[in-house]
Amino acid sequence: MTESTRTAEAVLARAHQRPLGRIPVLSVRPRVDCGAAPVKSVVQEEFEVSATVFREGHDAVNATLVLTAPDGTEEHRPMTLVSAGLDHWVGRACAGRTGTWSFRVEGWSDPYRTWEHDASIKVAAEVDTALMLEEGARVVERAIAEVERTPEQAQVLRDAVTALRDNTRPPMVRLEAGTSPEVEREMATRPLRDVVTPSAPVPWLVERDRALYGAWYEIFPRSEGAHQDEHGRWTSGTLRTAAQRLPAIAQMEFDVVYLTPVHPIGRVNRKGPNNTLEHTPEDPGSPYAIGSVEGGHDAIHPDLGTFADFDAFVAEAERLGLEVALDLALQCAPDHPWVKEHPEWFTTRADGSIAYAENPPKKYQDIYPLNFDNDPEGIYAAVRDVVQVWIDHGVRIFRVDNPHTKPVEFWQWLIADVAADYPDVIWLAEAFTRPAMMHTLAKVGFQQSYTYFAWRNARWELEEYLREVSGEAAAYMRPSFWPTTHDILTPYMQYGGPNAFRLRAAIAATAVPSYGIYAGYELVENVARPGAEEQIDNEKYQYKDRKWAEREPGGRKAGQTLAPYLKRLNEIRRAHPCLHWLRNLAIHHVDDENILAYSKRRTVDGRDDVIIVVANLDPHTTRESWLHLDMPALGMTWHDSFLAHDLITGDSWHWGEHNYIRLGRDTEPVHIVHVRRF
Amino acid sequence: MTESTRTAEAVLARAHQRPLGRIPVLSVRPRVDCGAAPVKSVVQEEFEVSATVFREGHDAVNATLVLTAPDGTEEHRPMTLVSAGLDHWVGRACAGRTGTWSFRVEGWSDPYRTWEHDASIKVAAEVDTALMLEEGARVVERAIAEVERTPEQAQVLRDAVTALRDNTRPPMVRLEAGTSPEVEREMATRPLRDVVTPSAPVPWLVERDRALYGAWYEIFPRSEGAHQDEHGRWTSGTLRTAAQRLPAIAQMEFDVVYLTPVHPIGRVNRKGPNNTLEHTPEDPGSPYAIGSVEGGHDAIHPDLGTFADFDAFVAEAERLGLEVALDLALQCAPDHPWVKEHPEWFTTRADGSIAYAENPPKKYQDIYPLNFDNDPEGIYAAVRDVVQVWIDHGVRIFRVDNPHTKPVEFWQWLIADVAADYPDVIWLAEAFTRPAMMHTLAKVGFQQSYTYFAWRNARWELEEYLREVSGEAAAYMRPSFWPTTHDILTPYMQYGGPNAFRLRAAIAATAVPSYGIYAGYELVENVARPGAEEQIDNEKYQYKDRKWAEREPGGRKAGQTLAPYLKRLNEIRRAHPCLHWLRNLAIHHVDDENILAYSKRRTVDGRDDVIIVVANLDPHTTRESWLHLDMPALGMTWHDSFLAHDLITGDSWHWGEHNYIRLGRDTEPVHIVHVRRF
């Protein structure tokens, strides 16, 4: 190394060292993969930021959380040392509007607190008294001179300086004047900060509320209004008849209506009922086998109607306060227009044929998967165009089918590209796959993800999973809990009866802020195709007329529906802001290991909103047990008591730390308790 | 966003997304603070590198560990999928020479394994047989064309292509020819890699062996050769007399002799014996109160001799195979030359005086701490000059006193700056402070750190601590275990008698590769100053004549020394390469919770070197119990047995998974067992 190139930077770079800075600020959390992706929140959502901040020697160190808005304006928030031994500091972050924010932690030397610590000991011990008081006056003088304040704020400090130097008063009185609560507050609010050392900024994406919070309801639009004539011949439902179902969905207080694909369905190798290889001309095929001579992903199935019908559906949903989510299923039927126009977008085999989807030795001959590696630019642009068509027709939410079978970097680009123009667009990943892929899809931009919830039924499984999704992963992944989908009907749901349906809906609706219900859940549709964990006569391959009217008052099956229960769950969700957040979950102990208990807490305008959920996970038995509440997690002390008001039954009890509970098929499977203080 | 700036890069940057790449490669470990500091190893030290690597869809993914030497040459090492569910891959890294290396993980699509997986299922099921075999031939042809191989290596693949296309043979025979062990091995060694996607390079510093491995012996040079006359008057030892102690230290097979500061000692406010404030002109003062009219950190105390004497000491040490470590204690006595020349390097108080070291209300009036914030450049340069003086006199190891009272960024710069010219210099941090500081000092460059070992005495404490220091932290921090120092004499050592001294030395010497002994340990010096956890008549404040000759054969106290035990420990260390590494530790279970058991294993030239240590932590009682060995951690199967040869006693036993043990004051407190296979 020559002298001329021997800068500190060069010396450090050569040693593979990044400059540390004057005050070490390390382990800033949350952060996603060293800042490769942003941490996420929605507007007004609070979350904890922590860091390890320390300094050499004995002087006082302090830390500030700095929030930077998209326009560059900054907000400073004080941080608190929560573990002195571990030098662990925490603060609370929260953004007032959407956009690409960032935050950083600044470590700094705190001359006032250093002086206050030393002076309090030494003046009391009569060591260096005069010197300590004068040094205090000088620190406060610096605070006046160097930090911006109003005249009133400065006066508090000026009075302290005068008192510290007032030789006519006893030393302890002068010390107290320099360390009074008023002075301490002013010095904490507008501190004198030396050698301020910032961490790297942490990228932070703030999205609209629906990215975190929403109740979804899934329909196959062709089923809504579908009916059979006396010969068993089906007439398809249409977007117009499906729109007639919207008031009922809105009345149950769902927020989002999700439509399975609405595009033309392939005729080549079309699947028959129950996923059979043979089909008759009557069979409508799977809406996930997309494309025919009638068009591809940018077209509407003629049976469903026209773009005008689609627009009318969206308008009616909007009128009722519902957002429309559309399925994006990126695969093609053999007769999809792209197959002819762009054979290079698929995989050509050694014999010149195009490769079907396969999971050897199984073949899915009604579907050609896209091959993104032959012409990525062409496919990227085509998919972007497809998405634009639906955005132009009012769609702002896409539910993505099997995103884990397409390159992750494609989603990263697509979501970012759409966000550049439409930052309000939300993507839900149907990532029923291994954890690394599920989490990475969330990191690269999906606002929400389906989860393993459907397969977590034992208490220990649910506790572990709730801790996982509401813990560190909540910085980037927002879980959506679905008790069933058109593809999923677990043994628990097959055999648990109506109680299982109530129970799993209640947990989904309250444990996390986003959840979804697949149409027919109200009717406890729990019969599986033998050997499969999905419904028999799956709606994917045939029409389903659920005869909703029969369940209405006066109908043949009046009252045989969980719709009022779902409505009640959604009412509770809307009324309680604590249920709109994810990271505010706490688990409580119940002696009976079949009973799960958790709570959510949020402070709104200085008032606590707290909900406690207690669920008997055994759908077959009524169980009595004891619930032991973690009172501080509820914002109370251990000896507090409160009025526990069950929002399902309307019952109220007097609860404290230890409470008797009784839940099950004889009563209700789940308490949803609102905490009311006396 | 205008069309012209709408590149993929711009779109991703705007969304706070760093491009992911075609094949996600995440969570590469080890890595220190997102690459802010290098991971460390010494030459030939192996460590595991892991990553999460996965891809979309069903095609086979694979991973390569790429090691890049300082000159840019690369070595490719295959990685292994150890958890398919978690997409967790591991490989082994190891560097052949010192310098600033890096490594990265490359994820890639594996067309051969994709084909092999599909073909094995489909050909057996007679699905697409001809097509699958032809596609295999094409993949292998690509492998021949695209990857460099010798003619012999290529021939293996050419034969496979021919066989795959040989219509005269049955399909299963053709398939087997394409998937034979020879073909698989060739395809694994020189694979055909598609869409290769590298992780960011991880900075990696490779240092000389002594950075990780060494047995240290600490002396106060003025004590070695010091003696009292009949009137009680002391004559100081000198560097020449201290050099006469070196053969004994070398004979105990220590590697490093560490000298406390050798500089002039301040006369102002000099401390008396046992840290008293009064001193007589006879008192030599603390060598840590550095500087007087005779000079500062770049001078030698006249009582000790001259630079020529120092050079002679270093030369004698070198002749005996010992390295010299020198103390670097960056504080000044009030009469240090810097105080006059550079009052701005210290803190001036409101009354114009220079601030003493304080821990209010305690004052350390013999010491002025440096204030790095007034003139950092001046102090940096001055300290660098001091270090250069000692480097020029042959010192390559510095033991840094209280590094946690100086800015961490100063050490980061100093160590890097010295390394630019003297990459063989090693720094040991006396960082007896909180974990964040201790770990950060290691990250910014200290090769070694003192640890909390002295205060970890119960089994659960030692197990937890051994797991911590040999786990993730081993990527950057190398612990040095010291049972005592001149500042530390824990109650365990005060009250445990000679057994405690044997025990703690044995654990320190075998659990981690670096450990240290403070002179006098052989003599079981365990009397504390009342109320303190350090020795009475601490050598810091007075001379100590240990009359080594009396312990020699024929002497008055012949045999009353642990020197032979320490020598045996060091012999064992030198003979067993497994004890030279840190990350190769495994804990084993013993029924008696007072007995600790661990092992170390290293494969050298294909042969296992394995040591098992079993230590009865109760110095007062002989205990019998059962040892349950984790046999795979020893490189054996659960039903294996072996000859357990105790390197302390020479005893041998026949051991397997479960073994009876008996240890304590009646026998030896520690087994150090060499595993010998039958």
Side-chain angles (χ1 to χ4, degrees):
Chain A
M1 233 166 173
T2 66
E3 280 309 311
S4 63
T5 62
R6 203 189 184 89
T7 60
E9 289 73 24
V11 159
L12 292 181
R14 189 172 155 151
H16 274 337
Q17 291 278 348
R18 215 176 289 159
L20 184 73
R22 181 63 185 83
I23 303 285
V25 178
L26 303 172
S27 302
V28 176
R29 300 257 190 294
R31 191 161 54 156
V32 179
D33 291 350
C34 296
V39 305
K40 298 176 187 168
S41 75
V42 298
V43 174
Q44 299 302 351
E45 182 191 4
E46 284 177 21
F47 60 95
E48 185 178 282
V49 174
S50 67
T52 303
V53 183
F54 60 97
R55 66 165 295 166
E56 81 287 358
H58 298 291
D59 282 3
V61 70
N62 210 323
T64 307
L65 173 60
V66 181
L67 313 180
T68 305
D71 64 5
T73 57
E74 292 190 346
E75 181 190 346
H76 282 222
R77 297 185 165 209
M79 297 183 77
T80 307
L81 179 64
V82 292
S83 167
L86 297 178
D87 299 295
H88 189 69
W89 294 75
V90 304
R92 302 282 294 172
C94 178
R97 56 206 162 86
T98 59
T100 43
W101 292 59
S102 71
F103 61 79
R104 66 176 185 271
V105 172
E106 293 182 343
W108 41 281
S109 187
D110 189 334
Y112 177 75
R113 284 210 206 176
T114 299
W115 169 79
E116 188 177 34
H117 170 267
D118 292 356
S120 299
I121 296 169
K122 292 172 76 172
V123 173
E126 294 181 31
V127 176
D128 291 347
T129 305
L131 190 51
M132 289 312 296
L133 294 171
E134 172 57 25
E135 286 181 346
R138 292 191 187 186
V139 168
V140 180
E141 275 180 339
R142 273 191 63 207
I144 297 168
E146 297 178 22
V147 182
E148 205 177 322
R149 317 174 192 271
T150 67
E152 296 73 36
Q153 290 160 354
Q155 194 56 48
V156 172
L157 300 188
R158 255 186 236 107
D159 293 346
V161 172
T162 306
L164 280 162
R165 289 195 173 128
D166 182 355
N167 289 322
T168 66
R169 298 159 81 186
M172 282 306 288
V173 172
R174 293 158 64 190
L175 175 67
E176 274 158 27
T179 60
S180 71
E182 297 73 36
V183 175
E184 282 184 342
R185 198 175 312 120
E186 180 59 23
M187 291 300 294
T189 313
R190 279 162 289 274
L192 176 63
R193 308 193 308 159
D194 281 343
V195 294
V196 177
T197 311
S199 72
V202 176
W204 173 23
L205 181 64
V206 181
E207 298 176 309
R208 67 186 176 108
D209 201 41
R210 186 68 67 233
L212 175 65
Y213 164 71
W216 291 43
Y217 190 88
E218 171 187 358
I219 61 170
F220 281 68
R222 71 182 178 194
S223 284
E224 301 303 334
H227 53 276
Q228 257 178 320
D229 65 18
E230 60 272 32
H231 308 293
R233 261 197 217 104
W234 281 95
T235 301
S236 177
T238 67
L239 287 164
R240 294 276 173 188
T241 58
Q244 293 167 22
R245 175 75 182 141
L246 289 173
I249 298 169
Q251 217 189 3
M252 285 187 283
E253 303 206 10
F254 284 95
D255 304 303
V256 176
V257 58
Y258 145 46
L259 310 181
T260 55
V262 296
H263 318 299
I265 294 170
R267 286 200 178 77
V268 177
N269 298 330
R270 178 178 284 190
K271 291 287 183 75
N274 287 303
N275 201 21
T276 47
L277 288 176
E278 293 76 38
H279 75 280
T280 68
E282 297 280 297
D283 290 324
S286 166
Y288 291 92
I290 293 169
S292 73
V293 291
E294 287 140 349
H297 288 76
D298 51 0
I300 292 177
H301 196 300
D303 285 358
L304 291 175
T306 65
F307 271 100
D309 298 330
F310 187 86
D311 294 343
F313 183 93
V314 172
E316 173 67 358
E318 198 172 316
R319 190 185 68 80
L320 294 163
L322 285 163
E323 283 199 67
V324 174
L326 192 64
D327 222 314
L328 183 65
L330 289 180
Q331 63 260 341
C332 299
D335 40 337
H336 190 292
W338 286 349
V339 178
K340 246 189 218 151
E341 293 161 19
H342 294 285
E344 73 278 15
W345 292 355
F346 304 88
T347 299
T348 303
R349 306 206 49 191
D351 64 356
S353 66
I354 288 179
Y356 304 111
E358 287 189 82
N359 189 5
K362 283 191 213 162
K363 293 185 173 192
Y364 304 100
Q365 286 151 313
D366 60 335
I367 285 176
Y368 287 166
L370 289 164
N371 178 336
F372 281 75
D373 288 322
N374 292 340
D375 175 24
E377 284 184 20
I379 296 185
Y380 278 37
V383 175
R384 182 65 186 83
D385 287 346
V386 163
V387 169
Q388 190 62 47
V389 166
W390 300 105
I391 287 175
D392 290 343
H393 286 277
V395 175
R396 287 295 180 278
I397 306 182
F398 293 93
R399 178 268 192 195
V400 176
D401 190 69
N402 278 338
H404 51 288
T405 58
K406 289 88 194 170
V408 186
E409 64 171 357
F410 161 72
W411 297 117
Q412 185 181 36
W413 169 81
L414 180 68
I415 294 170
D417 194 75
V418 170
D421 297 317
Y422 306 94
D424 56 338
V425 169
I426 290 168
W427 306 79
L428 165 64
E430 191 222 20
F432 288 122
T433 181
R434 300 191 302 278
M437 174 62 90
M438 182 187 282
H439 285 254
T440 304
L441 288 167
K443 290 173 183 174
V444 302
F446 279 92
Q447 279 77 6
Q448 297 187 5
S449 179
Y450 284 72
T451 61
Y452 307 131
F453 170 67
W455 298 277
R456 300 291 179 269
N457 295 293
R459 183 174 84 177
W460 71 268
E461 291 174 329
L462 279 162
E463 287 182 348
E464 186 183 87
Y465 200 54
L466 290 178
R467 285 199 176 96
E468 181 187 320
V469 298
S470 66
E472 280 197 19
Y476 56 85
M477 187 170 94
R478 305 197 190 92
S480 189
F481 278 10
W482 291 67
T484 67
T485 74
H486 61 260
D487 284 325
I488 299 167
L489 185 72
T490 62
Y492 187 92
M493 302 306 283
Q494 295 175 32
Y495 304 115
N499 253 353
F501 276 66
R502 292 166 84 87
L503 180 66
R504 297 290 296 180
I507 295 173
T510 57
V512 294
S514 278
Y515 88 114
I517 292 293
Y518 164 46
Y521 193 92
E522 309 91 303
L523 313 184
V524 193
E525 291 176 348
N526 61 0
V527 181
R529 176 155 61 87
E533 293 196 8
E534 64 176 46
Q535 285 190 29
I536 196 162
D537 302 335
N538 192 317
E539 205 170 354
K540 268 205 294 191
Y541 310 106
Q542 60 195 78
Y543 301 107
K544 192 163 244 174
D545 178 7
R546 291 196 173 84
K547 303 188 197 308
W548 297 112
E550 290 185 354
R551 314 284 171 149
E552 295 297 311
R556 204 164 61 86
K557 299 185 178 176
Q560 293 182 31
T561 170
L562 297 180
Y565 192 75
L566 296 177
K567 175 183 169 65
R568 183 68 191 132
L569 293 177
N570 289 331
E571 278 173 358
I572 294 168
R573 285 169 52 86
R574 288 192 179 172
H576 290 281
C578 67
L579 299 177
H580 300 198
W581 283 0
L582 173 62
R583 308 177 219 220
N584 57 340
L585 183 127
I587 308 275
H588 302 267
H589 185 71
V590 179
D591 292 342
D592 186 325
E593 65 177 20
N594 292 284
I595 302 180
L596 170 72
Y598 54 86
S599 66
K600 308 202 100 181
R601 178 182 170 214
R602 175 174 171 185
T603 308
V604 182
D605 299 331
R607 291 194 51 192
D608 259 3
D609 178 51
V610 183
I611 293 286
I612 303 168
V613 178
V614 189
N616 175 0
L617 304 175
D618 173 0
H620 308 293
T621 318
T622 297
R623 291 175 176 268
E624 301 174 77
S625 191
W626 284 86
L627 162 68
H628 308 284
L629 292 171
D630 175 356
M631 299 295 284
L634 305 174
M636 291 185 264
T637 66
W638 288 105
H639 57 268
D640 275 341
S641 66
F642 60 91
L643 190 75
H645 179 74
D646 188 335
L647 298 169
I648 297 292
T649 61
D651 292 337
S652 286
W653 313 284
H654 189 138
W655 274 12
E657 183 187 352
H658 307 289
N659 310 287
Y660 166 82
I661 48 171
R662 184 172 186 279
L663 287 162
R665 53 185 306 159
D666 299 347
T667 59
E668 281 286 337
V670 182
H671 288 321
I672 301 181
V673 166
H674 180 218
V675 171
R676 299 184 181 172
R677 305 298 299 266
F678 293 115
Chain B
M1 232 168 173
T2 66
E3 280 307 312
S4 62
T5 61
R6 201 189 185 92
T7 60
E9 288 73 24
V11 160
L12 292 181
R14 189 172 157 152
H16 274 336
Q17 292 277 348
R18 213 176 291 159
L20 183 74
R22 181 65 184 80
I23 303 285
V25 178
L26 302 172
S27 302
V28 175
R29 300 260 188 297
R31 192 163 50 159
V32 180
D33 292 348
C34 297
V39 305
K40 298 176 188 167
S41 75
V42 297
V43 174
Q44 298 302 351
E45 183 191 4
E46 285 178 20
F47 60 95
E48 186 177 280
V49 173
S50 67
T52 304
V53 183
F54 60 98
R55 65 164 296 165
E56 83 285 358
H58 299 291
D59 283 3
V61 70
N62 210 322
T64 307
L65 172 61
V66 182
L67 313 180
T68 306
D71 65 3
T73 57
E74 293 190 346
E75 181 190 347
H76 283 224
R77 296 185 166 208
M79 297 183 77
T80 308
L81 179 65
V82 291
S83 167
L86 297 178
D87 300 294
H88 189 69
W89 294 76
V90 303
R92 302 282 293 173
C94 178
R97 57 208 162 86
T98 60
T100 44
W101 291 59
S102 72
F103 61 79
R104 66 177 186 271
V105 171
E106 293 183 343
W108 41 281
S109 186
D110 189 335
Y112 177 74
R113 284 209 207 176
T114 300
W115 168 79
E116 188 177 32
H117 171 266
D118 292 358
S120 300
I121 296 168
K122 293 172 77 172
V123 174
E126 295 182 26
V127 176
D128 291 347
T129 306
L131 189 52
M132 289 312 295
L133 295 172
E134 173 57 24
E135 286 181 346
R138 292 191 187 186
V139 167
V140 179
E141 275 180 339
R142 274 191 62 209
I144 296 167
E146 296 178 23
V147 182
E148 207 177 321
R149 315 173 194 272
T150 66
E152 296 74 36
Q153 290 159 355
Q155 193 58 45
V156 172
L157 302 188
R158 257 186 234 109
D159 292 346
V161 173
T162 306
L164 281 162
R165 289 194 173 128
D166 182 356
N167 290 323
T168 66
R169 297 158 82 187
M172 282 306 288
V173 172
R174 293 160 62 189
L175 175 67
E176 276 158 26
T179 60
S180 70
E182 297 72 37
V183 174
E184 282 183 341
R185 197 175 314 122
E186 179 60 23
M187 291 299 294
T189 313
R190 280 162 288 275
L192 175 63
R193 309 194 307 160
D194 281 343
V195 292
V196 177
T197 311
S199 72
V202 177
W204 172 22
L205 181 63
V206 181
E207 297 175 310
R208 66 184 175 110
D209 200 41
R210 184 69 67 233
L212 174 64
Y213 164 69
W216 292 43
Y217 189 87
E218 172 187 357
I219 61 169
F220 281 68
R222 71 183 178 194
S223 285
E224 301 302 333
H227 54 276
Q228 257 178 319
D229 64 18
E230 61 270 34
H231 307 296
R233 261 197 216 103
W234 280 97
T235 302
S236 176
T238 66
L239 288 163
R240 294 277 172 186
T241 57
Q244 293 166 21
R245 174 78 181 141
L246 290 172
I249 298 169
Q251 215 188 6
M252 286 188 281
E253 303 206 8
F254 284 96
D255 304 304
V256 177
V257 57
Y258 145 46
L259 309 182
T260 55
V262 296
H263 318 300
I265 295 170
R267 287 200 177 75
V268 178
N269 298 331
R270 178 178 285 190
K271 291 287 182 75
N274 287 304
N275 202 20
T276 47
L277 288 176
E278 294 77 38
H279 76 280
T280 67
E282 297 282 294
D283 288 324
S286 165
Y288 291 92
I290 293 169
S292 72
V293 290
E294 287 139 351
H297 288 76
D298 51 0
I300 292 177
H301 196 300
D303 284 358
L304 291 175
T306 63
F307 272 100
D309 298 331
F310 188 86
D311 294 343
F313 184 93
V314 172
E316 173 67 357
E318 199 171 314
R319 191 185 67 80
L320 294 163
L322 286 164
E323 282 199 67
V324 174
L326 192 65
D327 222 314
L328 183 65
L330 289 180
Q331 63 260 341
C332 299
D335 39 339
H336 191 291
W338 285 349
V339 178
K340 248 189 217 153
E341 293 162 20
H342 294 285
E344 75 276 15
W345 291 356
F346 303 88
T347 300
T348 303
R349 305 205 51 189
D351 63 357
S353 67
I354 289 180
Y356 303 112
E358 288 188 80
N359 190 5
K362 283 190 212 161
K363 295 187 172 191
Y364 304 99
Q365 285 151 310
D366 60 335
I367 285 176
Y368 288 166
L370 289 164
N371 179 336
F372 281 75
D373 287 323
N374 292 341
D375 175 23
E377 284 184 21
I379 297 185
Y380 278 37
V383 175
R384 181 67 186 80
D385 287 346
V386 163
V387 169
Q388 190 62 46
V389 166
W390 302 106
I391 288 176
D392 290 344
H393 285 277
V395 175
R396 286 295 179 278
I397 306 182
F398 293 92
R399 179 267 192 195
V400 176
D401 190 68
N402 278 338
H404 51 287
T405 57
K406 288 90 195 171
V408 187
E409 65 172 357
F410 162 71
W411 297 116
Q412 186 181 36
W413 170 81
L414 180 68
I415 294 170
D417 194 75
V418 170
D421 297 317
Y422 306 94
D424 54 340
V425 168
I426 290 169
W427 305 79
L428 165 64
E430 191 222 21
F432 288 121
T433 181
R434 300 191 302 278
M437 175 62 89
M438 182 186 282
H439 285 254
T440 304
L441 288 168
K443 290 173 182 174
V444 301
F446 280 92
Q447 279 77 6
Q448 297 189 4
S449 179
Y450 283 71
T451 62
Y452 307 131
F453 170 67
W455 299 276
R456 299 292 179 269
N457 294 294
R459 184 174 85 177
W460 71 268
E461 292 173 328
L462 279 163
E463 286 182 348
E464 186 183 88
Y465 199 56
L466 289 179
R467 285 199 177 96
E468 180 187 321
V469 298
S470 67
E472 280 197 18
Y476 56 85
M477 188 170 93
R478 304 196 190 93
S480 188
F481 279 10
W482 291 66
T484 68
T485 74
H486 60 260
D487 284 325
I488 299 167
L489 185 72
T490 62
Y492 188 92
M493 302 305 284
Q494 294 175 32
Y495 304 115
N499 253 353
F501 275 67
R502 292 166 84 87
L503 179 67
R504 299 289 296 182
I507 295 172
T510 57
V512 295
S514 277
Y515 87 114
I517 291 293
Y518 163 46
Y521 194 91
E522 308 93 303
L523 313 185
V524 192
E525 291 176 349
N526 61 1
V527 181
R529 177 155 60 88
E533 293 195 8
E534 64 175 49
Q535 286 190 32
I536 195 162
D537 301 334
N538 192 319
E539 204 171 354
K540 267 205 295 192
Y541 309 106
Q542 60 195 81
Y543 301 106
K544 194 164 242 174
D545 177 7
R546 292 195 172 87
K547 304 188 198 306
W548 297 112
E550 291 184 354
R551 314 282 169 151
E552 296 297 311
R556 205 165 61 87
K557 298 184 179 177
Q560 293 182 32
T561 169
L562 297 181
Y565 192 75
L566 297 177
K567 176 183 168 64
R568 184 66 191 133
L569 293 177
N570 289 332
E571 277 173 358
I572 294 168
R573 286 167 53 87
R574 288 192 178 171
H576 289 281
C578 66
L579 299 178
H580 301 198
W581 283 1
L582 172 61
R583 309 178 217 219
N584 58 339
L585 182 127
I587 307 274
H588 303 267
H589 184 70
V590 178
D591 292 342
D592 186 325
E593 64 176 19
N594 292 284
I595 302 180
L596 170 73
Y598 54 87
S599 67
K600 308 203 98 179
R601 179 185 168 212
R602 174 174 172 186
T603 307
V604 182
D605 299 333
R607 292 193 53 192
D608 260 4
D609 179 50
V610 183
I611 293 287
I612 303 168
V613 178
V614 190
N616 176 0
L617 304 175
D618 172 0
H620 307 294
T621 318
T622 297
R623 291 175 176 268
E624 301 174 77
S625 190
W626 284 88
L627 162 68
H628 308 284
L629 292 170
D630 175 355
M631 298 296 283
L634 305 175
M636 292 185 263
T637 66
W638 288 106
H639 57 268
D640 275 340
S641 66
F642 60 91
L643 189 75
H645 179 72
D646 188 334
L647 297 169
I648 297 291
T649 61
D651 291 337
S652 286
W653 312 285
H654 188 139
W655 274 11
E657 183 187 352
H658 306 290
N659 310 288
Y660 166 81
I661 47 170
R662 183 170 187 280
L663 287 162
R665 53 186 306 161
D666 299 345
T667 59
E668 282 285 335
V670 182
H671 288 321
I672 301 180
V673 166
H674 180 219
V675 171
R676 299 183 179 173
R677 305 299 298 266
F678 293 115

